[in-house]
Amino acid sequence: MFYRDFFVIDDAKNMFLPLFGAMGRIWLNFEIPLLTDRTFLGGNFLVDMAAAPFAPQVIVTSVVAASFDDWRKAVAVFAVLNIWLAWMGAYALARSLKVDHGLALSVAFSAASGPMFNYVMLGSWWNSAAGFPWLLLGTAALIRLAENGTRGNFVAAVGAAVFLFQSAATQMQLLYMFSAAGLGFIEYRRAENPGAITRVVAVLACAGLLSLIPIASEYVANISLTDRSSSFSNDSRSIAPSWGHVVNFFNPFYGDYIGWFRGYLHVPLSLGYAGVFTLVLIFFGRFDRHWTRERCILLTMAVIAFVLSFSAAQVGPTRFPLRYLPFLTVLICIIPCAFFDRSELRNGSGRREALIGFALAAGLLQFWSAQKDLFEITHLFSVLFFLAAIVAILAGVRHEGIRRNPALFCLMLSMSAFVLQHMRTPQIIPLFENPPLPERVSAIDPPECFVLRTGGTAGHGGMELQDQLAARGLLFGARSVNGYSPVSHRDFARLLPHETAHGNFTTSSALTNVFARVPEAGGARMFELLNICRISLPVWDAPPMLAEMAEGVALRREQRGLTVILSRDDFVPRGTLSHPLTNGVAFVSSDGPRRETFAVQASDEARTLFFSRLYWKGYAATLDGRPLVVDAHEGVLVRVAVPAGASGTLELTYTPVTLPLIKTSLVLGLLFFAFYLRRLPSRRAEAPFVAAAV
């Protein structure tokens, strides 16, 4: 909650909460958030799965975001839920691997406070943030089920896997499936528990039928309409981290790594606070070298996560392997705990000297890896804090009581690091609170027409400004052409070219295309078909002939601070029906974004109706129950053909095109779940997983 980049870095860029708010308003109307008609980019939640609409913590956060004007409540809810779930998941995973209770608590505190977790899992990548806790819980439940095949463990394993797949976090799902394969291989080689492999496969089958197919089917069905990059490349990414990266495994205060190495493509494998007590066990612990089942599983999963973290930057639709690092962090933290023999810590001059030498080398290498930022005061303090932590460790292991209770000592260290993280990191003042423009967007944006913002160039801060303004409008229920979509719509990207998933539209191309006339619509302008009543662009990006261009399309031009605004005052909203084509058609009602009703009067000529809706497969229209032809204008806008002389009630609806497949998959999943559950014993040989995790 206090991490400085929580909602204002990378893909979050202020679009996080507004899309949550849009989903929350749909949930509060007792509808399923399949799509929203408030934005073009990111409006189809089944195709644009970054928002993870069906993850449990996202559902709760969405309802909170839509229920309160103070967006801080949604921030707090999402942060607390994710931190608590990650804490519980790391603890459950450590306990399933037979780690001591106190050391498992230390793992939990460290996993929920490391900088890599804060960066990747709290706000920057939404579906990864939603999926990571369920990856931990699901893996722990699977290990527990393979050992003890009871009904309670099976229900816990299937439930966690379903929530993981519902989060649509691709990297988390791949980690889970590879870990399940590794677990099955170990159980096969041991040949001591023949039913374990069957139980693992049953969980994957249930979760796939109940969640993976329903979540992924609509994306696959619409993939021909998307502009998602799907290649194999490793451009601008270093395969091997520098020695400075490796040393900072154990530096809990190394938090400014993102900007040092050309952005997130060069992040180190930072363990964060896990390294503090990991050093204690490495330098002062006594280790049992017996290879148990749990240790084999742990090391196998660690190798899998490590290999995936060094995969290419782009592998099909899966990108940025740094998202594997939080899971690898937890596993590396568990490894010394799993091999520790739980006896007292051993002190000795050789061990102290080794730790001191390591600390000095770590400090020097951190200076070396800092590159041009070598002498920034924050990096100097980072090294000093790191050395101070080493001194605290040396002092602690000399105390007899601490030596005899190493788990308590590690727990104190990890809790202290957790507190220090929040003490030394200033609370951010997000861009929502202090807009650089004099006006408040939520007060001036019309609620029913779309606002187009262009000029998202980084040179003048235009990208951040555009994201902020679009987010403020969406957060308070306005409509915005801009949004966020890592998938993107192929034909929409041709209409409004943009460089990134944030919809940073190029001003010249955007104005040229939206001012163009559309012959099929009687010569109406494209911005009229899009129901755009306001175009906003930064003053430094305004073309020299903008005044003449605005006059030519009957838009009023004014300048507010650093923003030039083109607007029209005669716009009267009629649902999503395009403004200039409403002759003889009257808006009746809207039953959520998936259904609209219009009254159509008879006409001697055939008509083509345009709607300010981004076209996806699944749209249908009827006139008094008779089907009408629905297609896409230039692949972008929903278009309905009304025959000459036809009249009556027109209904425009959206239904996922794969809905029959989704229903079949859910039914088969429930039947298989019930069938397999009946085959398992109800009595538990040991404490149930759920109780142990809580």
Side-chain angles (χ1 to χ4, degrees):
M1 291 170 61
F2 294 93
Y3 192 63
R4 56 184 163 218
D5 295 328
F6 190 78
F7 279 118
V8 291
I9 192 171
D10 286 342
D11 286 358
K13 283 295 183 190
N14 298 308
M15 297 308 301
F16 186 91
L17 291 175
L19 287 178
F20 273 26
M23 290 189 294
R25 282 185 283 272
I26 298 173
W27 281 118
L28 290 175
N29 288 329
F30 302 100
E31 294 280 340
I32 299 175
L34 303 180
L35 80 164
T36 175
D37 57 2
R38 293 286 161 180
T39 182
F40 284 93
L41 281 179
N44 191 319
F45 297 125
L46 284 183
V47 178
D48 283 290
M49 296 181 288
F54 305 115
Q57 64 268 47
V58 173
I59 295 176
V60 175
T61 306
S62 299
V63 172
V64 172
S67 302
F68 299 94
D69 292 333
D70 187 358
W71 57 268
R72 295 179 188 83
K73 292 183 173 64
V75 171
V77 167
F78 190 76
V80 169
L81 283 177
N82 263 0
I83 290 173
W84 178 73
L85 286 171
W87 185 95
M88 187 177 71
Y91 173 78
L93 181 58
R95 292 292 287 159
S96 69
L97 294 168
K98 309 302 183 186
V99 172
D100 178 78
H101 171 72
L103 293 176
L105 287 175
S106 300
V107 172
F109 275 107
S110 298
S113 61
M116 198 69 238
F117 169 76
N118 280 317
Y119 175 69
V120 176
M121 299 305 169
L122 288 186
S124 299
W125 285 291
W126 316 341
N127 47 354
S128 295
F132 177 63
W134 300 111
L135 168 65
L136 296 174
L137 287 166
T139 305
L142 205 60
I143 295 172
R144 190 67 175 259
L145 175 67
E147 178 187 20
N148 186 12
T150 63
R151 292 181 181 178
N153 288 337
F154 181 73
V155 170
V158 171
V162 165
F163 292 150
L164 169 62
F165 288 132
Q166 284 180 342
S167 70
T170 309
Q171 285 84 357
M172 306 299 108
Q173 294 168 2
L174 288 175
L175 275 171
Y176 177 79
M177 289 186 284
F178 277 117
S179 298
L183 174 62
F185 176 76
I186 291 173
E187 295 292 356
Y188 170 76
R189 290 298 299 261
R190 292 178 69 248
E192 297 178 6
N193 193 353
I197 300 177
T198 304
R199 293 192 290 269
V200 170
V201 173
V203 170
L204 294 177
C206 282
L209 290 170
L210 292 174
S211 197
L212 183 59
I213 291 177
I215 289 295
S217 59
E218 203 64 15
Y219 170 78
V220 174
N222 285 275
I223 199 165
S224 62
L225 301 176
T226 65
D227 194 33
R228 173 75 170 180
S229 176
S230 184
S231 62
F232 181 90
S233 65
N234 201 48
D235 298 336
S236 302
R237 183 180 188 273
S238 174
I239 289 294
S242 70
W243 283 109
H245 293 168
V246 176
V247 168
N248 279 302
F249 273 176
F250 305 101
N251 185 352
F253 299 98
Y254 185 48
D256 295 320
Y257 48 85
I258 298 302
W260 285 12
F261 304 98
R262 297 176 61 194
Y264 53 67
L265 300 180
H266 289 271
V267 296
L269 304 178
S270 174
L271 275 179
Y273 300 109
V276 174
F277 74 89
T278 301
L279 286 177
V280 176
L281 299 182
I282 289 176
F283 281 93
F284 298 98
R286 178 185 289 111
F287 297 97
D288 182 1
R289 298 180 181 180
H290 180 63
W291 288 91
T292 64
R293 165 186 175 270
E294 289 74 20
R295 292 170 183 175
C296 293
I297 294 172
L298 172 60
L299 293 179
T300 300
M301 291 191 302
V303 170
I304 290 172
F306 185 78
V307 171
L308 289 175
S309 69
F310 282 88
S311 59
Q314 175 86 40
V315 183
T318 301
R319 294 189 293 176
F320 306 139
L322 86 161
R323 301 173 190 176
Y324 299 116
L325 300 185
F327 188 62
L328 179 61
T329 294
V330 175
L331 296 177
I332 294 178
C333 182
I334 294 175
I335 287 173
C337 300
F339 282 86
F340 186 60
D341 69 357
R342 298 174 180 80
S343 63
E344 67 179 61
L345 294 173
R346 294 191 296 173
N347 192 13
S349 59
R351 293 171 179 264
R352 291 197 302 271
E353 292 166 358
L355 183 57
I356 292 173
F358 175 85
L360 293 176
L364 291 175
L365 282 172
Q366 180 168 331
F367 279 137
W368 172 76
S369 65
Q371 299 178 1
K372 65 178 182 178
D373 301 319
L374 173 63
F375 297 107
E376 285 190 10
I377 192 67
T378 54
H379 304 315
L380 293 173
F381 275 118
S382 175
V383 175
L384 293 177
F385 277 129
F386 176 66
L387 296 176
I390 298 300
V391 172
I393 291 174
L394 291 173
V397 296
R398 295 173 64 90
H399 192 274
E400 181 178 356
I402 291 178
R403 284 206 313 271
R404 294 184 179 278
N405 197 345
L408 177 61
F409 180 48
C410 291
L411 179 60
M412 292 170 58
L413 279 175
S414 60
M415 290 181 64
S416 300
F418 183 86
V419 174
L420 284 173
Q421 156 73 347
H422 299 297
M423 289 179 62
R424 70 177 287 271
T425 304
Q427 185 174 6
I428 63 171
I429 302 177
L431 297 179
F432 281 121
E433 196 168 65
N434 283 327
L437 292 185
E439 71 269 16
R440 283 189 169 272
V441 178
S442 60
I444 66 172
D445 279 349
E448 294 301 329
C449 67
F450 283 95
V451 178
L452 170 65
R453 296 178 175 84
T454 70
T457 55
H460 296 277
M463 183 184 299
E464 289 77 8
L465 180 61
Q466 181 172 284
D467 288 334
Q468 175 207 2
L469 297 179
R472 289 183 63 82
L474 284 172
L475 186 64
F476 294 99
R479 297 178 188 264
S480 175
V481 176
N482 309 69
Y484 174 81
S485 172
V487 174
S488 190
H489 191 286
R490 181 195 59 208
D491 297 302
F492 183 75
R494 284 203 295 263
L495 174 66
L496 293 174
H498 48 279
E499 298 177 358
T500 71
H502 300 271
N504 297 308
F505 304 122
T506 305
T507 297
S508 58
S509 301
L511 293 181
T512 300
N513 292 342
V514 299
F515 287 171
R517 292 189 180 276
V518 180
E520 298 92 332
R525 308 275 184 176
M526 178 57 76
F527 75 85
E528 295 177 301
L529 299 184
L530 292 168
N531 276 348
I532 294 174
C533 65
R534 177 165 297 167
I535 301 174
S536 174
L537 61 151
V539 65
W540 58 79
D541 212 32
M545 303 298 292
L546 183 62
E548 291 79 359
M549 295 172 64
E551 185 176 349
V553 295
L555 293 176
R556 179 167 52 88
R557 181 186 184 277
E558 61 179 314
Q559 182 171 336
R560 300 181 182 178
L562 300 176
T563 302
V564 176
I565 296 177
L566 308 177
S567 59
R568 57 184 301 175
D569 301 322
D570 61 341
F571 183 87
V572 179
R574 292 178 174 88
T576 62
L577 182 66
S578 294
H579 176 63
L581 305 175
T582 56
N583 186 27
V585 182
F587 172 74
V588 176
S589 63
S590 174
D591 187 16
R594 294 175 53 198
R595 182 186 300 274
E596 282 185 303
T597 305
F598 301 87
V600 179
Q601 298 178 1
S603 174
D604 295 334
E605 298 180 353
R607 286 168 289 180
T608 300
L609 304 181
F610 293 76
F611 297 85
S612 57
R613 290 172 172 266
L614 194 59
Y615 177 79
W616 299 103
K617 296 178 181 178
Y619 273 104
T622 60
L623 187 64
D624 285 344
R626 300 187 303 273
L628 300 177
V629 176
V630 179
D631 60 3
H633 171 67
E634 296 185 356
V636 178
L637 293 180
V638 173
R639 184 172 60 183
V640 177
V642 179
S647 64
T649 300
L650 186 149
E651 283 192 348
L652 179 67
T653 60
Y654 171 80
T655 303
V657 68
T658 60
L659 185 60
L661 174 63
I662 292 174
K663 291 180 178 179
T664 302
S665 178
L666 289 173
V667 170
L668 290 177
L670 290 173
L671 291 175
F672 182 75
F673 175 80
F675 168 76
Y676 194 81
L677 188 66
R678 288 179 58 86
R679 298 183 57 195
L680 297 174
S682 58
R683 297 184 62 182
R684 296 173 173 83
E686 55 188 81
F689 165 75
V690 175
V694 176

